[in-house]
């Protein structure tokens, strides 16, 4: 019997076309890259690490508050823990997350540019971010800082024995990182738009980043100089803010909040740009009132600089000033309401697709509306006096800054993940994680509205004088556990999608899986090539020109159903 050797032919998977990810695999090619897409990936890794470090501090806070007498932390350790949580989350995640990751990746692609205007400056901004993060983390390793993320004087300048100066220098540098990115965005949007890309053909994501960049450039130098003055007062005893040295502590508050309230919009405006993209894509309709949504971003940026005094109702600020700032604070709610109104009308009668990014967008709307409406109580002079420095404030800014920004960031990451990495994730796990995060977030922070209204002060780790508040703190801590699980889920399944792609176990990615409009979807490859486009794109259409008949037919074709024909003469639809 003769043996016949059976030749087995194995079909090699098709090689992936050359793109920005596989053009070079060396570490040097990543650390010295000037490609805006690779820098966005570097930022994505960096801010994710800082987010989970800040989350660990949050877990300690929530565990500590499950008992009216505290659990494991001393007064000093608790102060250092909530300072670390605030600094890491605000300065190293919430402020840079959407602009530095999604903005870096998408601004040139959405306007038809080959890169940002200043690629080396873009890389420098990431290195400055890393250096500032190292300085801040060093201050934590040296024992931590106990002043809170607001660094109020004279505690931060005269009385704290912790490494405040080192942390402030780190934050001073992080401000320059933001400024570098903002300068790049403004120059790119002004000078590098593709032919035909007029101002009112810009995607709303671009309008949001333009408004954010203007806010960063006008506001960040103020807080940077303020923090530097605190370092000078602390180091050389120069009397600027501390009354013991002849300074004015209220001046510090004016300068700090002149930046730090617009900083809320630095965190939220880019998130709003993401939501505009998601709502119009998954509603399969043009955004309702495009120009109003675009101009509302600019209005928020402008009015945001006029409301800082509502953080100072209980300072020595006069009552008249308080009334003026109160009225102006109500005014800033108008452009925010315009956005919510227009997003809602875009979905109305739209063919809403409940894909993972859209579920994140809907969760954003829910949390942002709650955060915005509760902000009216803090804008009002009379109710704010009762609620100042309570857990009501903590809940409010977590709903706006954290709920809004993080859910929009995750929605944007899920929306553009196929474009960034050429791979899809599990829709089941994506939808589940969005719902777990939404439920966990509300369980965590809604009880804080109640306990804050009842009088629980923020930054206290003991409340033995009112043990009846324990129920709300335990509920909040249980909710934070659910929230933590929800945040871990995307980290796991998104990473798994990259691993599966590397193993060749992931199916080929459709060029435009959402049927989305925009140059990044219709003109650029997936993932994009190094210089973004094979040829210079020409923009002829209005933004978000979705055709409901075309979209419906695309879905019906995928399901093998007969297509719909439109009788243009009689405006009738036939199957």
């Amino acid at each position: 019997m003769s043996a016949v050797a059976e030749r087995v032919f194995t079909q090699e998977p098709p090689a992936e076309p050359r793109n920005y990810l596989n053009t070079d695999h060396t570490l040097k090619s990543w650390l010295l890259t000037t490609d805006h897409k690779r820098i966005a990936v570097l930022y994505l890794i960096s801010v994710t690490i800082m987010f989970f470090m800040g989350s660990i501090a949050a877990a300690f806070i929530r565990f500590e508050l499950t008992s009216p007498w505290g659990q494991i932390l001393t007064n000093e350790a608790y102060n250092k823990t909530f300072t670390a949580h605030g600094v890491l989350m605000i300065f190293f995640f919430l402020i840079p997350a959407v602009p530095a990751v999604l903005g870096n990746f998408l601004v040139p692609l959405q306007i038809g540019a080959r890169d940002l205007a200043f690629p080396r400056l873009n890389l420098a901004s990431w290195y400055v971010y890393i250096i500032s993060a190292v300085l801040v983390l060093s201050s934590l390793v040296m024992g931590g800082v106990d002043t809170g993320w607001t660094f109020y004087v004279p505690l931060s300048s005269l009385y704290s024995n912790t490494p405040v100066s080192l942390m402030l220098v780190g934050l001073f540098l992080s401000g320059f990182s933001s400024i570098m990115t903002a300068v790049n965005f403004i120059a790119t949007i002004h000078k590098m738009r593709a032919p035909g890309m007029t101002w009112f053909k810009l995607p709303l994501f671009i309008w949001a980043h333009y408004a954010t960049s203007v806010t960063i450039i006008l506001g960040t130098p103020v807080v940077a100089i303020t923090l530097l003055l605190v370092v000078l007062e602390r180091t050389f005893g120069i009397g600027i803010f501390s009354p013991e040295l002849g300074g004015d502590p209220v001046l510090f508050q004016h300068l700090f909040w002149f930046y730090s309230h617009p900083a809320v919009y630095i965190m939220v405006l880019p998130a709003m740009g993401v939501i505009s993209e998601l709502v119009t894509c998954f509603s399969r309709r043009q955004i309702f009132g495009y120009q109003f949504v675009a101009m509302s971003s600019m209005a928020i940026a402008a009015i945001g600089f006029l409301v800082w005094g509502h953080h100072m109702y209980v300072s020595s600020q006069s009552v008249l000033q308080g009334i003026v700032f109160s009225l102006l604070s109500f005014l800033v709610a108008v452009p925010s309401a315009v956005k919510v109104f227009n997003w809602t009308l875009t979905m109305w009668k739209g063919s809403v697709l409940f894909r993972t990014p859209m579920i994140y967008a809907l969760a954003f709307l829910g949390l942002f509306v709650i955060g915005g409406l509760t902000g009216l109580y803090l804008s009002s002079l009379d109710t704010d006096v009762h609620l100042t420095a309570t857990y009501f404030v903590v809940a409010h800014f977590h709903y706006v800054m954290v709920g809004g920004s993080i859910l929009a960031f995750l929605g944007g990451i899920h929306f553009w993940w196929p474009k960034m990495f050429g791979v899809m994730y599990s829709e089941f796990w994506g939808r589940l994680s969005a719902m777990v995060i939404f439920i966990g977030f509300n369980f965590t922070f809604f009880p804080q509205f109640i306990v804050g209204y009842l009088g629980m002060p923020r930054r206290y780790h003991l409340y033995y004088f009112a043990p009846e508040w324990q129920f709300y703190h335990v509920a909040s801590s249980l909710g934070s556990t659910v929230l933590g699980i929800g945040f871990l889920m995307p980290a796991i399944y998104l990473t798994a999608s990259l691993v599966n792609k590397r193993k060749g176990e992931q199916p080929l990615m459709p060029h435009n899986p959402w049927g989305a409009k925009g140059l990044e979807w219709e003109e650029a490859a997936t993932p994009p090539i190094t210089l973004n486009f094979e040829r210079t794109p020409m923009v002829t259409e209005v933004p978000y020109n979705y055709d409901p008949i075309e979209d419906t037919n695309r879905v019906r074709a995928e399901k093998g159903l007969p297509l719909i024909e439109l009788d243009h003469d009689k405006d009738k639809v036939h199957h």
Side-chain angles (χ1 to χ4, degrees):
M1 181 177 178
S2 61
V4 178
E6 184 179 355
R7 296 182 62 187
V8 178
F9 293 92
T10 57
Q11 186 175 2
E12 293 289 335
E16 189 177 23
R18 181 71 70 184
N19 57 59
Y20 84 99
L21 289 171
N22 60 20
T23 186
D24 196 338
H25 295 285
T26 63
L27 182 62
K28 178 183 175 183
S29 71
W30 279 91
L31 295 180
L32 297 180
T33 183
T34 54
D35 186 338
H36 66 101
K37 301 178 289 298
R38 285 194 162 203
I39 294 171
V41 174
L42 293 175
Y43 265 117
L44 175 61
I45 297 168
S46 307
V47 300
T48 302
I49 292 172
M50 299 305 279
F51 171 77
F52 280 105
M53 293 181 73
S55 299
I56 292 171
F60 276 104
I61 294 170
R62 290 314 324 163
F63 179 65
E64 180 70 10
L65 290 170
T66 54
S67 168
W69 292 271
Q71 293 283 8
I72 55 175
L73 300 177
T74 63
N75 294 342
E76 185 181 11
Y78 186 77
N79 292 347
K80 292 177 178 178
T81 304
F82 71 67
T83 301
H85 169 68
V87 167
L88 295 180
M89 284 298 197
I90 291 173
F91 294 99
F92 293 96
F93 177 75
L94 290 174
I95 288 178
V98 178
V101 178
L102 296 176
N104 246 323
F105 195 92
L106 292 166
V107 166
L109 283 166
Q110 287 197 337
I111 66 171
R114 294 162 69 89
D115 204 325
L116 286 171
F118 309 112
R120 290 189 179 90
L121 186 68
N122 195 22
L123 179 62
S125 75
W126 179 72
Y127 275 104
V128 171
Y129 172 89
I130 294 298
I131 293 170
S132 62
V134 169
L135 291 176
V136 168
L137 292 176
S138 299
S139 70
L140 299 181
V141 172
M142 292 169 65
V145 172
D146 60 356
T147 61
W149 75 272
T150 49
F151 301 100
Y152 270 19
V153 293
L155 172 62
S156 61
S157 60
L158 292 184
Y159 298 109
S160 176
N161 294 319
T162 56
V164 177
S165 296
L166 183 60
M167 179 173 281
L168 290 180
V169 171
L171 298 181
F172 178 80
L173 289 177
S174 75
F176 279 94
S177 173
S178 297
I179 292 171
M180 291 176 185
T181 301
V183 168
N184 235 334
F185 284 174
I186 290 175
T188 306
I189 294 169
H190 270 275
K191 304 299 292 183
M192 298 179 67
R193 302 194 306 275
M197 178 69 82
T198 59
W199 280 95
F200 284 113
K201 286 183 181 176
L202 286 174
L204 292 169
F205 181 85
I206 299 296
W207 272 109
H209 277 74
Y210 185 78
T212 305
S213 300
V214 172
T215 307
I216 289 173
I217 286 183
L218 294 179
T220 306
V222 177
V223 77
I225 293 299
T226 306
L227 298 180
L228 190 62
L229 290 175
V230 174
V231 173
L232 293 177
E233 181 172 275
R234 182 179 175 86
T235 306
F236 301 108
I238 304 171
I240 303 170
F241 299 125
S242 298
E244 296 89 332
L245 300 174
D248 182 359
V250 181
L251 174 62
F252 172 85
Q253 293 190 36
H254 277 292
L255 294 174
F256 182 83
W257 289 114
F258 180 79
Y259 162 81
S260 294
H261 191 81
V264 173
Y265 306 115
I266 291 173
M267 302 173 214
V268 172
L269 270 173
M272 289 175 164
V274 172
I275 297 303
S276 294
E277 300 289 327
L278 302 187
V279 167
T280 186
C281 174
F282 292 102
S283 299
R284 318 310 295 172
R285 291 189 67 195
Q286 277 189 307
I287 198 86
F288 182 84
Y290 165 88
Q291 294 189 5
F292 282 96
V293 178
M295 289 300 102
S296 66
S297 294
M298 302 305 293
I300 290 172
I303 301 172
F305 278 107
L306 306 176
V307 299
W308 79 90
H310 75 225
H311 294 272
M312 301 167 58
Y313 289 150
V314 295
S315 71
S316 61
Q317 180 178 263
S318 73
V319 175
L320 178 60
Q321 285 177 306
I323 292 172
V324 172
F325 279 120
S326 180
L327 293 174
L328 289 171
S329 299
F330 279 104
L331 188 61
V332 80
V334 175
S336 300
V338 166
K339 286 183 182 293
V340 174
F341 180 77
N342 286 26
W343 291 330
T344 306
L345 283 183
T346 303
M347 289 185 281
W348 188 50
K349 290 189 177 179
S351 303
V352 179
L353 303 174
F354 294 98
R355 306 296 292 269
T356 300
M358 188 60 180
I359 295 176
Y360 274 109
L362 293 174
F364 166 93
L365 280 174
L367 299 185
F368 183 74
V369 168
I370 294 173
L373 292 177
T374 53
L376 297 179
Y377 291 93
L378 300 173
S379 302
S380 177
L381 187 58
D382 50 354
T383 49
D384 182 78
V385 171
H386 170 68
L387 297 171
T388 288
T390 67
Y391 259 83
F392 191 95
V393 180
V394 176
H396 161 69
F397 73 68
H398 275 86
Y399 264 88
V400 174
M401 293 158 52
V402 183
S405 297
I406 291 183
L407 287 177
F409 176 67
L410 288 173
I413 287 291
H414 284 82
F415 183 55
W416 283 293
W417 188 262
K419 175 60 62 177
M420 293 175 76
F421 298 105
V423 65
M424 198 62 183
Y425 48 84
S426 164
E427 265 290 299
F428 169 77
W429 287 108
R431 293 174 184 175
L432 182 63
S433 71
M435 289 186 280
V436 169
I437 290 172
F438 181 73
I439 294 170
F441 191 93
N442 282 291
F443 267 108
T444 302
F445 293 105
F446 202 85
Q448 296 180 14
F449 279 125
I450 302 172
V451 76
Y453 173 78
L454 294 174
M456 173 73 193
R458 62 190 294 195
R459 298 180 173 176
Y460 277 39
H461 79 120
L462 302 173
Y463 50 96
Y464 54 80
F465 45 86
E468 65 272 18
W469 293 342
Q470 185 178 21
F471 169 79
Y472 302 103
H473 281 298
V474 170
S476 183
S477 297
L478 288 174
S480 69
T481 306
V482 176
L483 184 61
I485 293 170
F487 284 141
L488 277 174
M489 290 166 67
I492 295 172
Y493 65 73
L494 290 177
T495 305
S497 71
L498 297 179
V499 173
N500 291 336
K501 179 188 177 187
R502 190 173 179 82
K503 291 179 179 176
E505 298 174 359
Q506 197 77 8
L508 286 176
M509 184 66 227
H511 173 66
N512 184 357
W514 315 119
K517 296 291 184 181
L519 293 181
E520 83 272 28
W521 293 108
E522 297 176 297
E523 296 291 337
T526 301
I529 59 175
T530 301
L531 293 177
N532 294 343
F533 304 99
E534 296 285 358
R535 55 182 173 78
T536 303
M538 175 75 73
V539 180
T540 56
E541 286 188 347
V542 296
Y544 314 118
N545 190 24
Y546 287 100
D547 182 341
I549 301 297
E550 177 187 333
D551 290 329
T552 305
N553 278 338
R554 186 173 59 84
V555 174
R556 293 175 71 88
E558 291 174 357
K559 296 180 179 179
L561 298 173
L563 304 184
I564 297 173
E565 296 179 4
L566 180 65
D567 187 338
H568 292 283
D569 295 332
K570 299 178 181 179
D571 285 334
K572 291 181 178 178
V573 173
H574 303 287
H575 291 276

